[in-house]
Amino acid sequence: MSAGASFYITTPIFYVNDVPHIGHAYTEVAADLLARWHRQAGEDAWLLTGTDEHGQKILRTATANGVTPKEWADRLVETAWKPLLKTVDIKNDDFIRTTDERHEVNAQKFLQHLYDAGHIYTGEYEGFYCVGCEEYKQPSDLIEGTGEFIGQQVCAIHSLPVELLHEKNYFFRMSTFAERLLALYEDDPDFVQPAAARNEVISFVKQGLSDLSISRSSFDWGIKVPWDDSHVVYVWFDALLNYITAAGYGQDDEKFSRLWPATHIVGKDILRFHAVIWPAMLMAAGLPVPRRVFGHGWLLVGGEKMSKSKLTGIAPSQITDTFGSDAFRYYFMRAISFGQDGSFSWEDLSARYQSELANGFGNLASRVIAMVVRYCDGEIPVTTAFTDADAAIRATEIRVTDAAGEAISRLAIHEAIASVWELVDELNGYITIQEPWGLAKDPADRDRLDAVLFTAVRGLGTLAVLLSPVVPEACAKLWSALGGEGLVTDQRIDRAWEWTGGTHVSPLEALFPRIEATVG
Ligand code: ME8
């Protein structure tokens, strides 16, 4: 395999100070969907996720709970962050923790390399630090506090007071990379996406970059600076390195050259870290920059970014316990344009579940399979006599396969699903017009009935292949009901309409059962 030939995709590594909410699950699902899609397109896809465990934020939470930070991190990883992956059906290839030895040792190697190459110096810094963001803030990042913080300057993201810090630190000469970064954004317009995010990053860098403080000495929960163990590495510098330490940097050159560079999926809140600081770090180390950095929008509740600190967080299981993981995945990937903010509402979720998943897709599958069972004893008819209406379905299968693949290559996940849904809608219309139940009444219409059911079964199989990255559980069930060969995930998604199957269908339980209870 040649260098970087794989499709390596990452989520942010999440802070373990708290449990996940649906915003974190949203990023996980998006990255997982893309990884599954590329895997099914025959690529060497690799999905990395994990947890960010060092720094003051975690230290303070652990201390407040009377345990060591490592004990706290272990507890949260095992009881909350790893279970999240099951809750929303994530098929990750790796899970990295910044307390893993493979990370700590190789992050130190990276740092030492930058130090030896002259990219790091000792300096002093005074500024306002937000522990929530784990970041020094510029005065322009601060707003007037409200409520109990009236009269104080607070972080615009966390609405909490910032702390004035004065420290002697090590600094990374980030300012020297401004021109190279601007050239990168210019030469590779897809490097930062979506376009609005790219423009924001470019104008930020054009204002000039400061050097970056990359160590802290007032506490010790972190990776020790290799040449000075009275300092720990700044938590963001440490965290960003997870993307290469998990890929074998410093210890497995073959793996590293196969995987790196990666596609990073992050929320827009942390885009600058990924689109400015991270490529500058890699340039300093002489390593390739990421393939691209995509900053998705925020899930909003009541018009505000959902967050635990503002008590607007919704646990993913609140949704999946009622609707299931497939519905979670479908809803957030379909209803929100990937890259834009989106408001979550229980009403919208219930309405889409009912009309699109249960009535649109689920019912179509149940009806077609039930008719093959009833009219053909479960044997999938074989026929060669097709009408224009049948050919039109076939053409739609090919068209939406291509359109969805093209949308995925642009990371336009919502567009890909919308394209596939054209086939769901067309097949439903086709069944209504062809009325196989009417054809079944007259033996003279047998050939026509066979052609209609054959066409519908082919279309359903194509849907199972195309929707498998989105709603994997339902598609696995549909695939086995269609008598599909092997696993649906082994079918090539870029040629979905060519799927190969067996000769018989078997009964199918409702893919998206009716939900009786009121939720919310
Ligand atoms: O920032 N809507 O971790 P974090 C959509 N450890 N996505 C949301 C969201 C919302 N309302 N709220 C959170 C960190 N997210 C660092 C990352 S990476 C080297 C280090 C998602 O736990 C989104 O992906 O604060 C966002 O970027 C991330 O959670 C922030 O997670």
Side-chain angles (χ1 to χ4, degrees), residues 19 28 187 201 296 371 392 422 493:
V19 297
E28 289 282 4
D187 296 346
V201 164
H296 68 63
M371 286 190 280
E422 289 174 27
I493 204 162

Side-chain angles (χ1 to χ4, degrees), residues 11 39 245 363 367 369 403 442 444:
T11 70
R39 225 175 263 138
T245 58
N363 242 350
R367 282 163 80 204
I369 287 178
D442 187 347

Side-chain angles (χ1 to χ4, degrees), residues 1-8 43-46 93 246-247 252-262 291:
M1 182 105 16
S2 63
S6 56
F7 178 75
Y8 174 31
E43 291 170 54
D44 171 31
W46 188 266
D93 297 281
D252 185 344
D253 292 345
E254 192 278 327
K255 181 177 177 186
F256 187 58
S257 66
R258 176 171 69 92
L259 291 180
W260 190 254
R291 212 178 281 289

Side-chain angles (χ1 to χ4, degrees), residues 502-520:
T503 52
H504 286 74
V505 299
S506 46
L508 178 68
E509 58 183 286
L511 291 179
F512 300 98
R514 175 179 284 281
I515 287 166
E516 304 292 350
T518 34
V519 290

Side-chain angles (χ1 to χ4, degrees), residues 13-15 21 23-24 27 52 243 267 269-270 296 298-299 306:
I13 50 170
F14 300 106
Y15 288 127
H21 59 60
H24 305 109
T27 318
D52 189 354
Y243 301 127
D269 48 334
I270 57 173
H296 68 63
W298 285 340
L299 299 190
M306 172 176 310

Side-chain angles (χ1 to χ4, degrees), residues 446-468:
R446 184 71 221 185
D447 285 352
R448 187 67 206 124
L449 176 66
D450 284 354
V452 169
L453 291 181
F454 173 87
T455 303
V457 165
R458 289 300 314 168
L460 268 189
T462 299
L463 283 176
V465 175
L466 287 173
L467 290 174
S468 171

Side-chain angles (χ1 to χ4, degrees), residues 67-393:
V67 292
T68 66
K70 181 64 167 63
E71 282 167 343
W72 178 261
D74 287 348
R75 184 190 301 174
L76 269 281
V77 167
E78 290 312 318
T79 61
W81 289 94
K82 284 191 171 164
L84 167 70
L85 306 177
K86 282 213 169 52
T87 304
V88 290
D89 208 353
I90 303 301
K91 231 174 140 190
N92 54 310
D93 297 281
D94 196 359
F95 187 99
I96 189 155
R97 301 178 53 176
T98 50
T99 51
D100 286 349
E101 195 188 334
R102 60 173 172 160
H103 174 74
E104 297 193 344
V105 168
N106 294 301
Q108 284 184 323
K109 277 190 201 161
F110 182 96
L111 226 83
Q112 186 69 52
H113 179 66
L114 257 53
Y115 187 65
D116 295 344
H119 293 295
I120 291 174
Y121 64 93
T122 322
E124 278 188 44
Y125 195 79
E126 183 174 88
F128 293 108
Y129 195 82
C130 170
V131 175
C133 294
E134 292 281 16
E135 186 184 18
Y136 276 110
K137 296 284 172 183
Q138 296 304 314
S140 58
D141 297 328
L142 304 178
I143 56 171
E144 274 296 316
T146 53
E148 60 178 312
F149 304 123
I150 216 148
Q152 295 184 55
Q153 293 281 293
V154 299
C155 163
I157 294 173
H158 289 89
S159 308
L160 292 172
V162 287
E163 298 170 24
L164 183 63
L165 296 186
H166 184 124
E167 281 191 338
K168 197 161 164 248
N169 298 136
Y170 291 101
F171 282 75
F172 167 49
R173 294 184 201 282
M174 192 163 72
S175 57
T176 56
F177 291 93
E179 290 310 315
R180 279 183 67 187
L181 286 169
L182 288 170
L184 167 67
Y185 310 142
E186 188 64 33
D187 296 346
D188 183 359
D190 288 339
F191 177 72
V192 186
Q193 289 183 34
R198 173 174 181 263
N199 295 338
E200 196 245 313
V201 164
I202 290 176
S203 53
F204 174 75
V205 176
K206 276 193 174 154
Q207 288 163 20
L209 289 180
S210 317
D211 290 343
L212 180 73
S213 159
I214 59 154
S215 73
R216 304 289 308 275
S217 56
S218 54
F219 62 94
D220 68 355
W221 177 233
I223 298 178
K224 295 230 176 303
V225 169
W227 60 89
D228 179 353
D229 67 8
S230 65
H231 284 245
V232 291
V233 179
Y234 169 47
V235 62
W236 265 103
F237 210 82
D238 161 353
L240 287 162
L241 289 168
N242 91 87
Y243 301 127
I244 58 170
T245 58
Y249 169 81
Q251 70 183 41
D252 185 344
D253 292 345
E254 192 278 327
K255 181 177 177 186
F256 187 58
S257 66
R258 176 171 69 92
L259 291 180
W260 190 254
T263 293
H264 297 310
I265 305 293
V266 301
K268 64 181 181 181
D269 48 334
I270 57 173
L271 187 78
R272 272 190 208 168
F273 291 97
H274 287 80
V276 181
I277 299 178
W278 179 224
M281 288 165 65
L282 290 162
M283 285 171 179
L287 293 172
V289 297
R291 212 178 281 289
R292 53 184 163 180
V293 178
F294 189 96
H296 68 63
W298 285 340
L299 299 190
L300 307 174
V301 171
E304 271 201 52
K305 176 176 180 242
M306 172 176 310
S307 84
K308 281 273 158 160
S309 60
K310 291 186 182 169
L311 300 178
T312 49
I314 297 171
S317 58
Q318 275 180 264
I319 293 178
T320 56
D321 285 351
T322 305
F323 292 92
S325 56
D326 276 357
F328 185 105
R329 297 169 63 94
Y330 173 80
Y331 173 70
F332 287 105
M333 294 298 108
R334 173 79 201 260
I336 300 170
S337 297
F338 197 52
Q340 312 270 310
D341 291 348
S343 292
F344 167 75
S345 87
W346 288 101
E347 292 72 22
D348 192 30
L349 167 64
S350 300
R352 281 185 183 265
Y353 179 89
Q354 199 51 46
S355 69
E356 293 164 25
L357 289 177
N359 296 344
F361 178 40
N363 242 350
L364 171 72
S366 311
R367 282 163 80 204
V368 170
I369 287 178
M371 286 190 280
V372 177
V373 170
R374 184 172 329 143
Y375 306 138
C376 315
D377 287 332
E379 189 174 337
I380 300 170
V382 180
T383 179
T384 48
F386 298 115
T387 64
D388 287 353
D390 310 338
I393 293 293

